[in-house]
Amino acid sequence: MCGAVASVAGGAVLSASALAATANVLPETVSFSNVIDLTQTLTPDFPTFEGGPSFEESYEYTFAKDGLNLKTLHYHEHVGTHFDAPIHFSKDGQSIDEIPVEKFVCPLAVIDVRDQAADNPDYRVMPEDILKYEQQHGRIPDRACVAMLSGWPQYVGTDKYRGEDSKGVLHFPGFHEDTAKFLINERSVYGLGVDTLSIDYGPTKDFPVHYLWLGSGRYGIENLTNLDQVPLAGATIIAGAPKFKGGTGGPGRVLAVY
């Protein structure tokens, strides 16, 4: 908790004991001017890494027949805008319900690589991109979520979102393993986010970023959108992860406020 000077109405500074007594009192209001939804709308035809459908829905009750609407949903844990828990790519990492909730509300650092991705769909966010960002916006805050802005959401609904070629290889941007190592070893970061299907880039065969990042006890968020509508620095992400016992991840609602 950041240090602060507290005063009473008469202007006197509170004593140390009085300040300590109020240290755990939440503020009455939290101020922000903008709320941006970073979540893709999940539909049965939303693109998936494997290519096949991973979300099904059917009506069990309809208003016309039953006086209420109710659907049954069947979906893959890793579909749409979703979370990767450490256990997804580690032997004994935390499941999605075990991640401390405070890690889901944190500073958001957006790394804009749209120009690079436009020239190279296989672009990977490099440590140099992080250092360039920090030159412009300051050091990435502790406990942040670092998100790649590649511009890929514009391709949802087209073949380019997956970018599968004639040999079955996918092509879309992601993070480089050296960047994962840098953020693990040189920065204090909670989460990694992408506006593509995977924190690893499309052509990956061995998923090094998944193994490094999730194996270090951190989480990932994939298929984000609207990152171009938030400032590159200064926003807060509110990542509404699901709470499935033992879950390796799952779809959620992700917001940014600033």
Side-chain angles (χ1 to χ4, degrees), residues 217-236:
R218 293 164 171 84
Y219 66 84
I221 313 176
E222 296 168 334
N223 292 312
L224 292 167
T225 190
N226 294 331
L227 286 168
D228 58 333
Q229 296 183 29
V230 302
L232 301 183
T236 296

Side-chain angles (χ1 to χ4, degrees), residues 2 38 101-111 133 137-148 183 188-193 213 219 221 224 227 230-239 254-258:
C2 297
L38 305 183
V101 69
E102 61 268 21
K103 292 189 175 183
F104 295 125
V105 181
C106 55
L108 176 63
V110 180
I111 312 300
Y133 172 93
H137 303 286
R139 185 182 173 96
I140 289 175
D142 289 348
R143 302 177 298 278
C145 178
V146 177
M148 175 189 74
L183 292 173
S188 179
V189 174
Y190 283 161
L192 206 62
W213 192 255
Y219 66 84
I221 313 176
L224 292 167
L227 286 168
V230 302
L232 301 183
T236 296
I237 192 170
I238 302 173
V254 184
L255 308 176
V257 299
Y258 62 96

Side-chain angles (χ1 to χ4, degrees), residues 3-250:
V5 176
S7 63
V8 295
V13 177
L14 289 175
S15 67
S17 59
L19 184 58
T22 62
N24 293 322
V25 177
L26 293 173
E28 293 184 2
T29 61
V30 176
S31 297
F32 51 86
S33 301
N34 300 278
V35 182
I36 304 298
D37 193 349
L38 305 183
T39 318
Q40 294 276 10
T41 300
L42 184 54
T43 61
D45 60 353
F46 191 86
T48 63
F49 191 92
E50 297 82 4
S54 291
F55 175 77
E56 299 175 2
E57 58 180 353
S58 60
Y59 273 101
E60 297 296 320
Y61 299 93
T62 64
F63 197 85
K65 180 176 178 291
D66 306 296
L68 72 155
N69 292 309
L70 187 149
K71 292 180 180 180
T72 292
L73 307 179
H74 180 270
Y75 56 85
H76 196 292
E77 280 182 312
H78 299 268
V79 66
T81 300
H82 69 272
F83 292 77
D84 285 1
I87 192 63
H88 184 37
F89 270 74
S90 62
K91 182 179 179 180
D92 55 2
Q94 290 175 318
S95 57
I96 194 66
D97 57 305
E98 294 174 330
I99 300 174
V101 69
E102 61 268 21
K103 292 189 175 183
F104 295 125
V105 181
C106 55
L108 176 63
V110 180
I111 312 300
D112 187 350
V113 293
R114 285 176 290 183
D115 289 343
Q116 298 95 313
D119 292 335
N120 177 14
D122 294 335
Y123 188 78
R124 290 180 282 179
V125 178
M126 304 299 296
E128 305 91 85
D129 295 312
I130 303 297
L131 295 175
K132 181 179 178 182
Y133 172 93
E134 293 188 328
Q135 289 175 353
Q136 298 173 338
H137 303 286
R139 185 182 173 96
I140 289 175
D142 289 348
R143 302 177 298 278
C145 178
V146 177
M148 175 189 74
L149 167 57
S150 71
W152 235 242
Q154 67 182 306
Y155 302 124
V156 170
T158 74
D159 291 340
K160 188 167 183 176
Y161 194 74
R162 297 182 70 247
E164 185 174 7
D165 64 22
S166 60
K167 297 181 180 180
V169 177
L170 306 186
H171 298 278
F172 54 76
F175 278 87
H176 194 280
E177 55 264 34
D178 288 345
T179 309
K181 293 176 184 177
F182 175 79
L183 292 173
I184 290 168
N185 298 321
E186 305 295 333
R187 298 293 183 268
S188 179
V189 174
Y190 283 161
L192 206 62
V194 291
D195 57 357
T196 59
L197 282 164
S198 172
I199 56 177
D200 276 288
Y201 77 147
T204 188
K205 295 182 179 179
D206 51 4
F207 299 92
V209 177
H210 277 81
Y211 279 107
L212 283 165
W213 192 255
L214 303 180
S216 72
R218 293 164 171 84
Y219 66 84
I221 313 176
E222 296 168 334
N223 292 312
L224 292 167
T225 190
N226 294 331
L227 286 168
D228 58 333
Q229 296 183 29
V230 302
L232 301 183
T236 296
I237 192 170
I238 302 173
K243 199 174 182 181
F244 305 132
K245 184 173 179 59
T248 72

